[in-house]
Amino acid sequence: MRARNGTGRRWLAARRSAVFAAVCSLLLAATALTGCTSTVVQGGPRFVTPPLIRYTSVLWPVPLELVGAEPGSRLRLEARMSTPRGLWNSSATYTVPASGTLDLAAARPQLSRFAEPDSAGLFWSLRGPQLGEEALAEQWMRETSPVTVTAFDGSRPIAARTFRLQGIGAGIRTSGVFTRDLLAATAAREGGTAPRIPQQTHEDVQVGTFYSARSIERPRTPAVVVFDDQAPGASGDFVGPLLTLFGASVFVVPVTQSADGVRLTSILDADTVGAVLDWLDQRQDVDGRQVFVYGTGPSEQLALWTAARFSWRLAGVFASGGATALLCLPSSAVGPVFENGRPAGCRVDPSVIDAQAVPALSLVRGPLVLGCSERDETLRSSCAWLGAAMATRGTRAGDVVLRESTASHATMVPPGLPIAIPDGPSGQQTERARIAFWNAVLNALLRAGRS
C-alpha cells in the first residue's frame, strides 16, 4: 500500500484494495480490536490502526502507524508473545521521518527479517519454539495469540500495544461425513439405483470432514473439495477455516503424502470423488454450480485430475507446489487414483516432465489458480510441471498463474502465519507469494458467490 497524507487517506486507499475490502466485508460485524496501549504521556507516541479491523492470526498487511514519535530518532520495534509452549519474538529498526509518523506500510526497516516495507512483517516474522503440526494448528488457528508490539528509543519503551490475534478456526462448524452419507447422496442422484462405492470404503467409516459456511446472509455458498493429509495439524486445519471465512463451504477428503513431500501413499477411487460431488449437490446450503477443487504439494495432482475428470461438475481449481500429472506411489508402479477397479497411469520420476501425462485442463470451465516456485526445495521441477499443465489449457480469462522466483515451497500457507517462513530474502518473498495466491483464490470465490 502506498503512503498517503493523513491516516484517513491511507485507510481509504487500503479499502480500495479489492482483496482487503472483500476481507473487511466478511468481518464488518466484528468489533474493532482496541488492544492495550501504553504510553508515557497521554497523546504521546502511540500505535494507531483504522477502525473496523479484526486482527486474526491469518493477517493481510493493514494500515499500522506509530504517531507522535520524535523526528529523526532511531527506534527498535519488538513483537513478543509468551505462551505456555514458549516465547515468540521478532524485531525491526526504523528511522522516524520528519512528520513524526512512522507508517509501517511505507517505511523500509533496518536490522529485521524483512527488507521491504510491510505492516504485517513483525507478525509473520515471529520466531519461537519448534512445535509439531498439531500444536501449530491449535495455537495459530484455534487459540487467541496476544502479540505485544513495543517501540523502544534506546532502552526506553515509548509506546506499546497488544494485538490479540484470533484463530479463525475457533468456533467454525464442522461435521464428519460417513460412507452412509455418500451412499444416500449417490442413490438419490441415480434415482435409487445401487451406487458404486469402492471396496476400501465399503464399511461405514468417516470419509471426509465438512466445514459449513452457511449463514443468514449466505444461505447457499460455493464449495471447495480439499484433498489433504489426514494427520492432525495438516494443511486442511489451516486451509479449511480460511476458505470458510472467504464464504465457501469445504469438504476435506483425506489423503496421505509420502515423506518426500512429493508423492502420495494412499489411493483414491474415482467413485469416491463422484460420491462427494453428489453429496455436495444434494445439500441445500451449497450451490452445486460453484464447486471448486483444491490441492497443494502432493495433492495438486489429485486436484487437477479431478478437475479434468469431472470437468462438467466443477467450477475451477486451486493448486500450488506440486506435480501436475499423477505420480506413482513410492517404490511402486501404481498410481494414487483407481477408476473402474484399475489404477490410472502414473509417472515414476517426478523430475522428468511428461506433458502427455498431464490431465486435459482445457476441459475445465475455469478459473484456474495455479502457483509454483522456481526455487522450490521440495519439488525442483514444480514450475516445469506447471508449464506443461498450462500448455494443455492455453490462455483464458480468469486464470491466474503465479511463478515465483525466490519463494520457498510453502507458498500455500495462509498469509500472516509465522509457519515455514525461511530466513533471509526468500522469507518476505514467500509471504508475498502467499498473499498473491490467496488473493486470487478469494477473488475467484467472490465472483462465484455473486453469480
Side-chain angles (χ1 to χ4, degrees), residues 11 48 145 152 180 274 335 397 406 412 427:
W11 171 226
V48 175
S145 303
F152 291 90
R180 62 179 179 272
T406 60
M412 67 293 297

Side-chain angles (χ1 to χ4, degrees), residues 21 50 97 102 148 156 220 222 255 287 296 310 355 377 402 435:
L102 180 62
T148 299
R156 180 173 62 94
R220 285 173 62 85
V255 295
D287 184 350
T296 56
F310 297 92
E377 69 279 7
L402 302 168
I435 291 173

Side-chain angles (χ1 to χ4, degrees), residues 230-443:
Q230 56 189 344
S235 61
D237 286 340
F238 298 88
V239 170
L242 182 55
L243 290 171
T244 304
L245 183 66
F246 285 174
S249 296
V250 178
F251 192 113
V252 178
V253 179
V255 295
T256 305
Q257 68 179 35
S258 63
D260 63 5
V262 174
R263 301 171 180 83
L264 296 169
T265 60
S266 59
I267 293 175
L268 182 69
D269 194 282
D271 288 332
T272 299
V273 178
V276 169
L277 297 177
D278 289 342
W279 187 84
L280 290 171
D281 193 55
Q282 296 295 317
R283 293 188 62 89
Q284 296 299 313
D285 58 348
V286 169
D287 184 350
R289 304 167 304 163
Q290 300 293 346
V291 178
F292 298 78
V293 286
Y294 174 102
T296 56
S299 298
E300 178 171 356
Q301 56 186 300
L302 293 183
L304 298 186
W305 175 86
T306 299
R309 172 62 177 79
F310 297 92
S311 59
W312 69 97
R313 304 185 66 177
L314 294 170
V317 57
F318 314 131
S320 178
T324 55
L326 295 177
L327 300 178
C328 299
L329 305 183
S331 303
S332 172
V334 176
V337 171
F338 270 60
E339 188 166 9
N340 298 322
R342 297 181 179 180
C346 61
R347 296 300 174 266
V348 175
D349 188 351
S351 66
V352 177
I353 311 304
D354 185 353
Q356 294 182 345
V358 175
L361 297 183
S362 59
L363 300 175
V364 183
R365 53 191 173 98
L368 270 61
V369 176
L370 303 180
C372 70
S373 175
E374 298 285 356
R375 297 187 182 181
D376 191 318
E377 69 279 7
T378 301
L379 179 62
R380 298 188 183 278
S381 56
S382 174
C383 285
W385 278 114
L386 176 58
M390 293 311 298
T392 73
R393 171 79 166 177
T395 303
R396 296 194 187 181
D399 289 351
V400 178
V401 180
L402 302 168
R403 289 183 174 88
E404 304 297 337
S405 59
T406 60
S408 72
H409 172 73
T411 57
M412 67 293 297
V413 177
L417 297 175
I419 297 174
I421 290 283
D423 291 324
S426 63
Q428 190 163 34
Q429 294 304 315
T430 299
E431 175 66 11
R432 289 180 172 179
R434 294 174 178 182
I435 291 173
F437 178 77
W438 285 105
N439 282 356
V441 171
L442 171 61
N443 286 331

Side-chain angles (χ1 to χ4, degrees), residues 10-34:
R10 273 185 292 273
W11 171 226
L12 181 59
R15 283 187 63 87
R16 288 192 181 121
S17 165
V19 173
F20 188 66
V23 173
C24 284
S25 70
L26 295 172
L27 301 174
L28 278 177
T31 58
L33 176 74
T34 58

